Amino acid sequence: MRLLVCGGAGFIGSNFVRTRLRGSDDEIVVLDKLTYAGRRENLQDLEEDPRFSFVHGAIEDPAAVATAIERADAVVNFAAETHVDRSIIEPDAFVRTHALGTFVLLEAARERELRFLQVSTDEVYGSIEEGSFTESSPLDPSSPYSATKAGADLLVSSYRHTYGTETLICRGSNNYGPYQYPEKLIPLMVLNALAGDRLPVYGDGLNVRNWLFVEDFASGIAHVLEHGTPGEAYNVGGPDECANIDVVRRILELCGRDESLIDHVTDRPGHDRRYSLASEKVRALGWSASMRFDVGLERTVAWYRDNAWWWEPIRSGAYRDYYTRQYGQTLDD
Ligand code: NAD
Ligand code: DAU
């Protein structure tokens, strides 16, 4: 297949591109705006592959999309602003990318009659105290991030309903693994623990997330792209749930540090308590997650420990200003 992968220089997109180039005959064009979270370093080992090419541009720019989509048979859209805390401080880019960007891509796919897979999130359903969300649960997002992602999902579905475009939606739970930008819980805590910095846990630390190893999400998306029924949404949830404080304790243990580094800091406004997905529908297509959280977390900590070349430029740049703004404390040198 010839794929246009939007947002392929980010965390999940780059893992998806790597999985596809290694495991299929796909030709892949990545279209990416290279925001702070999008980095060519994430694709460094793939740049020499003749089946890979890169276009620098935004999904809300019709000219960039027209160039990138030229030879594609299908579009997979990862491009997004993805950090909930940033969406609370500065929602503008979330609206632009998720609403306008998804619209521009959908128009391009409609004109060319291409299959279109939208990468979405469990957060569109909101928080759930007990049980799990299925694909027919109502959308009830709570942050500017999740609300704009839910809006994009609805727009995608409308293109199936109105124009017959072959759309698919994959809603993933919390991903973790190599190449994740250290604003998200796991890489942030791993890098702080390795450096001996404080570990800022929001509120009581009892919020629960459903952890999915990034290569499992990548294989789930590929599976839905090939075997999914157009017009349908598929939940892709991880095999294990864990409270934040327990995630942090395991990271400290794996990094050889003790719990005195934990700081309970002011809670995130509107903080969702628990996410949980029922994934029977995608399992019926033949997909299942292969990485349990204990093993995946150990592998992830090892990757960050061994790949300082990847994160050192981040920890020494603009990220430090972001960190001070977000946490009211500085990182040690
Ligand atoms: P990320 O922030 O690491 O990467 C996002 C990528 O999109 C970056 O390369 C960025 O440069 C690019 N991008 C942003 N705006 C763009 C624009 N307007 N035009 C072109 N490129 C643009 O994000 P991620 O964690 O890899 O998430 C990828 C997708 O998966 C997102 O749609 C996200 O909502 C979804 N998702 C993420 C998770 C998670 O736990 N990280 C879970 C479920 C779903
Ligand atoms: O559920 C899927 C979603 O997971 C994705 O759609 C989002 O793009 C992704 O960012 C993620 O959202 P979360 O808000 O769940 O992830 P985050 O890593 O920001 O936070 C995970 C939990 O950890 C959450 O309960 C908040 C808490 N947390 C986070 C940070 C960054 C802390 O306690 N301290 C922190 O410093």
Side-chain angles (χ1 to χ4, degrees):
M1 225 184 308
R2 287 171 304 194
L3 293 182
L4 169 59
V5 178
C6 304
F11 163 50
I12 307 174
S14 62
N15 276 285
F16 174 81
V17 172
R18 185 168 295 106
T19 306
R20 292 299 293 185
L21 287 176
R22 289 188 181 154
S24 75
D25 297 330
D26 287 353
E27 282 174 36
I28 296 183
V29 175
V30 165
L31 171 66
D32 200 294
K33 190 175 177 174
L34 297 179
T35 66
Y36 72 94
R39 301 176 72 216
R40 292 296 287 263
E41 289 92 325
N42 294 353
L43 298 162
Q44 197 167 279
D45 54 322
L46 310 173
E47 299 267 357
E48 299 301 312
D49 192 317
R51 291 178 295 136
F52 170 82
S53 57
F54 184 85
V55 176
H56 183 198
I59 58 169
E60 62 271 24
D61 175 357
V65 170
T67 304
I69 208 169
E70 233 168 31
R71 287 163 42 80
D73 304 313
V75 179
V76 182
N77 182 28
F78 292 90
E81 294 290 336
T82 59
H83 193 38
V84 173
D85 294 324
R86 290 185 194 254
S87 86
I88 294 167
I89 297 165
E90 235 169 356
D92 319 34
F94 291 75
V95 177
R96 190 175 317 112
T97 294
H98 303 171
L100 185 58
T102 308
F103 161 71
V104 170
L105 284 180
L106 280 166
E107 276 296 292
R110 172 170 84 91
E111 273 169 28
R112 294 164 182 80
E113 299 184 358
L114 304 181
R115 182 168 275 225
F116 183 95
L117 188 148
Q118 174 76 355
V119 180
S120 184
T121 168
D122 57 2
E123 297 199 21
V124 297
Y125 299 116
S127 187
I128 188 165
E129 292 285 330
E130 280 175 15
S132 302
F133 290 118
T134 69
E135 291 80 356
S136 48
S137 300
L139 302 191
D140 187 18
S142 35
S143 70
Y145 163 69
S146 52
T148 49
K149 287 294 288 185
D153 282 13
L154 293 175
L155 192 63
V156 169
S157 300
S158 81
Y159 269 63
R160 174 67 186 166
H161 189 81
T162 309
Y163 306 113
T165 307
E166 282 198 15
T167 63
L168 294 154
I169 298 174
C170 268
R171 298 190 178 124
S173 61
N174 278 64
N175 277 230
Y176 69 102
Y179 302 99
Q180 186 169 30
Y181 195 82
E183 61 189 352
K184 308 283 163 55
L185 179 75
I186 288 181
L188 184 144
M189 297 298 174
V190 171
L191 295 189
N192 284 19
L194 290 174
D197 286 322
R198 314 286 308 159
L199 275 61
V201 173
Y202 295 161
D204 61 9
L206 296 178
N207 303 67
V208 171
R209 296 294 183 262
N210 180 193
W211 293 102
L212 174 65
F213 193 63
V214 65
E215 288 170 20
D216 277 332
F217 193 30
S219 74
I221 291 165
H223 211 82
V224 168
L225 182 66
E226 283 171 23
H227 306 292
T229 304
E232 295 292 314
Y234 294 86
N235 290 344
V236 183
D240 298 294
E241 293 186 9
C242 196
N244 295 338
I245 191 70
D246 294 327
V247 174
V248 169
R249 286 192 181 120
R250 282 186 215 184
I251 290 171
L252 284 168
E253 219 174 285
L254 289 165
C255 296
R257 302 280 187 184
D258 66 54
E259 295 188 16
S260 62
L261 285 181
I262 295 176
D263 251 356
H264 284 274
V265 299
T266 310
D267 210 353
R268 170 185 283 173
H271 196 174
D272 284 337
R273 195 64 171 166
R274 175 173 172 265
Y275 300 135
S276 181
L277 287 179
S279 305
E280 279 73 18
K281 192 169 163 183
V282 70
R283 277 206 283 275
L285 292 182
W287 173 87
S288 62
S290 62
M291 183 71 77
R292 296 302 299 265
F293 186 52
D294 274 346
V295 182
L297 188 61
E298 207 176 323
R299 257 180 70 173
T300 303
V301 170
W303 188 86
Y304 282 93
R305 186 182 280 127
D306 296 344
N307 287 281
W309 70 271
W310 183 86
W311 53 259
E312 263 170 358
I314 298 175
R315 291 245 319 176
S316 60
Y319 173 75
R320 298 179 83 82
D321 299 333
Y322 159 77
Y323 196 92
T324 307
R325 231 183 17 254
Q326 177 64 24
Y327 297 102
Q329 50 183 258
T330 52
L331 290 167
D332 290 338
D333 287 319

